[in-house]
Amino acid sequence: MRLLLYNIRYATGHKKGFHLPLPYAGFFKKTAANLQRIIHFIRLIDPDIIGLVEVDSGSYRSSNTCQAAQIANDLGYHFVVETKYSGSSLVHRVPIIREQSNALLSRTEIIDTSFHYFSQGVKRLIIKAELQQVVIFVVHLSLKYRHRQNQLGQLYSLIHDTDKEVIVAGDFNTFWGDKELKLFLAATGLENANVVNAPSHPSHAPHRQIDFVLHSHGIRIDSFFIPDIQLSDHAPLVCDFSCLSSPLAVAGDDQGIRLVKQLH
């Protein structure tokens, strides 16, 4: 199966024109044209599962249309989408911001979905989606180190209570490097699909590894690559994986790791 993780920055774009006429002015501009570019890219990658971080679920930027729903309808996916902020948060009452969401899309049926919220941080949403062979968690962690560590502890509890194989995908905002995840990985037994620690941010000159696909031991990574595409400030992560308990999984422990510098 192929998983795509992409922080699309609400399809507001990157670099060219984003900071004109004022810094971060692109955050408030219409997103239809860039969303079509993102949809075209997703069509080329042809993933089975998509974890989307920073999706506009219906502000004026997206013409009051949910971007996750548009992608799902155009490309034929099941989907779930939810705002990143809990209903009790004051942020939830602010126009534009209250439509800022994360989403999970799947070619196959999403058997069950639940939404959880961290107790600390502004970005609090955890999407938990159960598919036939695997449970996917989509997260976007806090910008503050102390909050991130607290969030990882709460995420551990959710993973510990999960019976199926697990993938945790998202923007972890690990500005201090992957060492921030050392204790979390040791406690959960999860592994980083990006075994060479290739950076994905910012997309025009990557030097930070803040986007992660983490997986349980019963999942084999068959390939992993980061396309060189700049439709967002984050580059996307693409991961081909097999569940070892599946009869479709081919025996063997080799991992094929590909880093793609240019997507043709």
Side-chain angles (χ1 to χ4, degrees):
M1 300 183 74
R2 171 163 287 186
L3 168 70
L4 167 67
L5 170 67
Y6 203 177
N7 181 330
I8 65 171
R9 201 191 206 182
Y10 313 109
T12 55
H14 181 53
K15 293 287 285 182
K16 185 186 296 184
F18 186 81
H19 294 291
L20 295 175
L22 297 170
Y24 295 96
F27 184 79
F28 300 98
K29 295 178 181 178
K30 293 284 190 173
T31 60
N34 197 47
L35 183 63
Q36 286 303 313
R37 299 184 191 102
I38 291 170
I39 290 173
H40 176 68
F41 164 74
I42 294 173
R43 183 179 286 112
L44 291 176
I45 293 295
D46 193 26
D48 300 290
I49 304 166
I50 308 171
L52 292 179
V53 179
E54 296 194 348
V55 174
D56 191 317
S57 58
S59 79
Y60 77 86
R61 292 180 303 194
S62 60
S63 300
N64 302 314
T65 298
C66 175
Q67 292 173 340
Q70 184 173 347
I71 294 170
N73 292 335
D74 285 1
L75 300 180
Y77 288 91
H78 304 275
F79 78 98
V80 293
V81 61
E82 183 63 29
T83 178
K84 295 191 295 183
Y85 315 106
S86 64
S88 60
S89 171
L90 293 177
V91 176
H92 197 269
R93 305 175 187 177
V94 180
I96 299 181
I97 294 179
R98 66 188 177 203
E99 305 296 346
Q100 295 183 164
S101 306
N102 298 332
L104 188 284
L105 292 77
S106 174
R107 292 277 191 205
T108 60
E109 179 187 3
I110 300 173
I111 298 172
D112 190 31
T113 305
S114 57
F115 304 118
H116 306 267
Y117 288 90
F118 295 120
S119 62
Q120 293 185 354
V122 177
K123 303 175 178 68
R124 297 192 178 191
L125 174 66
I126 308 166
I127 295 178
K128 179 182 179 182
E130 181 181 355
L131 307 182
Q132 184 175 1
Q133 296 181 359
V134 65
V135 173
I136 310 287
F137 292 88
V138 178
V139 299
H140 191 186
L141 300 191
S142 174
L143 294 173
K144 293 185 177 181
Y145 174 80
R146 179 171 56 85
H147 289 170
R148 288 197 298 276
Q149 293 303 303
N150 179 276
Q151 290 175 342
L152 288 172
Q154 295 176 52
L155 186 56
Y156 163 79
S157 298
L158 288 174
I159 294 169
H160 186 263
D161 294 335
T162 302
D163 295 329
K164 289 185 176 180
E165 299 299 338
V166 168
I167 290 177
V168 181
D171 177 353
F172 283 65
N173 280 320
T174 47
F175 298 115
W176 290 19
D178 62 329
K179 63 183 179 181
E180 286 191 31
L181 299 180
K182 186 175 181 180
L183 292 177
F184 175 73
L185 295 179
T188 59
L190 298 181
E191 300 175 5
N192 186 359
N194 182 1
V195 296
V196 297
N197 296 318
S200 60
H201 184 270
S203 60
H204 67 279
H207 60 272
R208 301 186 192 96
Q209 184 187 9
I210 61 176
D211 303 298
F212 288 87
V213 174
L214 309 176
H215 63 93
S216 55
H217 289 307
I219 291 175
R220 185 184 69 233
I221 303 304
D222 300 312
S223 71
F224 177 91
F225 61 99
I226 301 177
D228 181 11
I229 190 165
Q230 299 172 26
L231 301 176
S232 166
D233 59 330
H234 291 248
L237 275 55
V238 182
C239 176
D240 294 325
F241 70 93
S242 303
C243 291
L244 297 180
S245 59
S246 169
L248 297 178
V250 179
D253 295 323
D254 293 338
Q255 291 183 335
I257 306 298
R258 295 185 292 135
L259 294 179
V260 176
K261 297 302 295 179
Q262 182 65 47
L263 181 70
H264 297 289

